[in-house]
Amino acid sequence: MPDVTTPVLVVGAGPAGLATSLSLSRHGVPHLLVEKHPGTAHSPRAHIVNQRTVEICRDLGIEDRLLDVATPADLMSNNVWATSLAGRELARLETWGTSAARAADYRAASPSPMCNCPQHVLGPVLHEAIDEAGVGEVRFRHELMSLEQDADGVTAVVRDRDVERDVTVRAQYVVGADGGRSRVVELTGLPLDGEHGLAQAANVWFEADLTRFCAHRPGVLYWNASPGKDYWVGAGTFICVRPWTEWVMLFMFDPSRETVDPKDSEALRARVHKVIGDPSVDVDIKSLSFWTINHVLAERYTDGRILCMGDAVHRHPPANGLGLNTSMADGFNLAWKLAYVLDGRADPSLLDTYDAERRPVGRVTVDRAMKSVVEMAAIPAALGFEPDQDEADGWASLERLWQPGDEGDTVRAEFRAAIELTNYQYNAHGVELGYVYREGAVVPDGRPEPPNPRDPELFYRPTTTPGARLPHAWVDDGARRLSTLDLAGGGRFALLTGIGGEAWAEAAARAAEATGVEVAVFAIGTADGLVDAYGTWGDVRDVESSGCVLVRPDQHVAWRAVAATEDSLAELAGVLARVLGRAAVPA
Ligand SMILES: Cc1cc2nc3c(=O)[nH]c(=O)nc-3n(C[C@H](O)[C@H](O)[C@H](O)COP(=O)(O)OP(=O)(O)OC[C@H]3O[C@@H](n4cnc5c(N)ncnc54)[C@H](O)[C@@H]3O)c2cc1C
């Protein structure tokens, strides 16, 4: 007999596992989350929280708590390249949609701002909400040791590290959210495609008051662009953990040529001082951790009843800040499917759509992050920095930036182009919000998607194409301004319609009766419905006002109908059954 029986066992309390656990809690699905460490992340690690993740937190009821503890978007607005913080500034780039040119795009796209929230701050917010919900149980210092699955479930052995005792857990499904060294992936033998260990990185977490260097150019990343053997990203890059007193210094190193001793605080402090450029600043080293650059994607995310997510299945550099965000979105995608399958509202085949939908997003994430790292080489190249270059030669080359005449103009133009290229890393709004699930729990309508007139990586284009995230538009219920995303989500399907779409309410009721699945109907722009406050919904819905957009519990469009015709109304129950993987149910 197992010691514990649970519908879902979640392994790992990183962003992926915590988001899954909180989403399952909101759906009322009991589960057990095990984490081998004594708590959530104890160091900053990933920190960029993009608009989609804040929207997910909004749906999970913790947006305000997150924004209370995070650094706000206006303090994320500069990337700075300098010979040192006290030295010469070489360039700045306005980041994360904060420039005059990009702010409107970001504001129009979402009810939620980006923020900078390192994992050791984010983890407790998620954990507290899971605890408060009281649906799932979180056990720290519990390490997954083994897994065995059969037709009806999975038996896991989890070691309680406090008493060194093995606990047997029987679950219907196991979620492998156990990070870049995933034991779940290892045990299931999911094949991994790509390369591990492409470069070695170190994170030095430290405290130092750098207000006088940073407050006038607030940002997340301060790049040390100085010549010498550390030519690639200089001596190190400062990542703002808490303005302007707490930092991580990230640096790359070649272990075959350099030893980084975690106990040698003096050497680490000297390196921090080199990046600051002022040895008089007090620096308190808190910790050092190592990680590697990988370019890896699992060939499958799932194996029977075992479903993997986050760094377990996509491992990539931190460029573009996609790690935490993609991981939490994986969890949000899977949780509603598990909830619907477990209580019989959906067929177990719905779980197959998790891989079909999230793996292509993982592919884009892994490749985009890697490409961004490669593209960064254009910066030292433009400055004339080379590997193993004599430091004096490097400084002489740098001076060309201020040289009058054609050569100086060419260097300046190449350097600016290299900086602008990093927009694909720091203002890649299309990558962050624009992904569309082409296959999965969606019913395509056969209409060609109009091409994005702007660069699809940099610019998000709202669309109600099935599989896309529902476009945001402000609507008003007479008392409150709501996002269309607030109408969707909340664990249920939503159907958005407008003038002439009254019959959808009846069609939704019939579909609900036939499938047992609730569909909340919202009329926007009708005499007694929600007000399309700024006309935005009319602009982006891409169906006639009598048509409809059917939205899944994870706020992605499942299906749409151009107009309320007899045929389209009759189609709804069948569409819902198809999305849920069930045999067509008569309307
Ligand atoms: C040291 C370090 C530094 C990083 N720095 C950065 C950075 O600067 N910028 C950036 O963007 N990204 C960084 N990352 C990557 C980023 O943290 C991940 O992309 C993100 O956390 C992925 O979330 P996840 O939930 O999938 O995995 P993780 O956050 O790794 O969480 C996995 C969890 O599973 C637990 N676990 C593992 N095995 C078991 C087991 N057998 N039983 C129970 N629990 C288990 C782990 O203890 C961990 O808490 C860093 C990662 C690490 C490890």
Side-chain angles (χ1 to χ4, degrees), residues 11-17 34-37 45-47 119 142-144 177-180 183 203 239 250 289-291 309-312 318 323-324 327:
V11 185
V34 293
E35 163 59 51
K36 68 179 178 183
H37 285 122
R45 304 181 195 182
H47 51 101
Q119 277 179 241
H142 278 66
E143 180 173 359
L144 175 88
D178 52 344
R183 184 165 296 157
N203 277 8
I239 303 167
L250 181 164
S289 53
F290 296 107
W291 52 280
M309 59 172 58
D311 273 18
L324 176 163
S327 302

Side-chain angles (χ1 to χ4, degrees), residues 10-18 34-37 39-48 119 139 141-145 158 176-184 187 203 239 248 250 288-292 309-328 330:
V10 181
V11 185
L18 290 166
V34 293
E35 163 59 51
K36 68 179 178 183
H37 285 122
T40 53
H42 65 286
S43 64
R45 304 181 195 182
H47 51 101
I48 297 296
Q119 277 179 241
R139 291 192 191 180
R141 284 185 62 73
H142 278 66
E143 180 173 359
L144 175 88
M145 305 306 290
V158 174
D178 52 344
R181 294 197 195 109
S182 169
R183 184 165 296 157
V184 177
L187 290 168
N203 277 8
I239 303 167
V248 162
L250 181 164
L288 170 76
S289 53
F290 296 107
W291 52 280
T292 54
M309 59 172 58
D311 273 18
V313 283
H314 40 76
R315 304 171 189 176
H316 53 89
N320 290 70
L322 292 170
L324 176 163
N325 296 293
T326 310
S327 302
M328 287 184 64
D330 286 346

Side-chain angles (χ1 to χ4, degrees), residues 106-190:
Y106 281 67
R107 270 192 65 191
S110 173
S112 303
M114 287 189 76
C115 63
N116 180 14
C117 189
Q119 277 179 241
H120 70 299
V121 177
L122 175 67
V125 172
L126 290 159
H127 179 221
E128 189 182 77
I130 294 163
D131 258 4
E132 281 172 14
V135 177
E137 186 190 351
V138 180
R139 291 192 191 180
F140 291 115
R141 284 185 62 73
H142 278 66
E143 180 173 359
L144 175 88
M145 305 306 290
S146 68
L147 286 172
E148 216 169 287
Q149 65 172 317
D150 52 56
D152 304 319
V154 187
T155 303
V157 175
V158 174
R159 187 156 300 161
D160 178 344
R161 286 293 179 194
D162 280 334
V163 292
E164 291 300 331
R165 190 177 72 89
D166 283 351
V167 179
T168 310
V169 180
R170 179 74 180 163
Q172 280 166 270
Y173 294 97
V174 170
V175 175
D178 52 344
R181 294 197 195 109
S182 169
R183 184 165 296 157
V184 177
V185 165
E186 191 189 306
L187 290 168
T188 48
L190 288 182

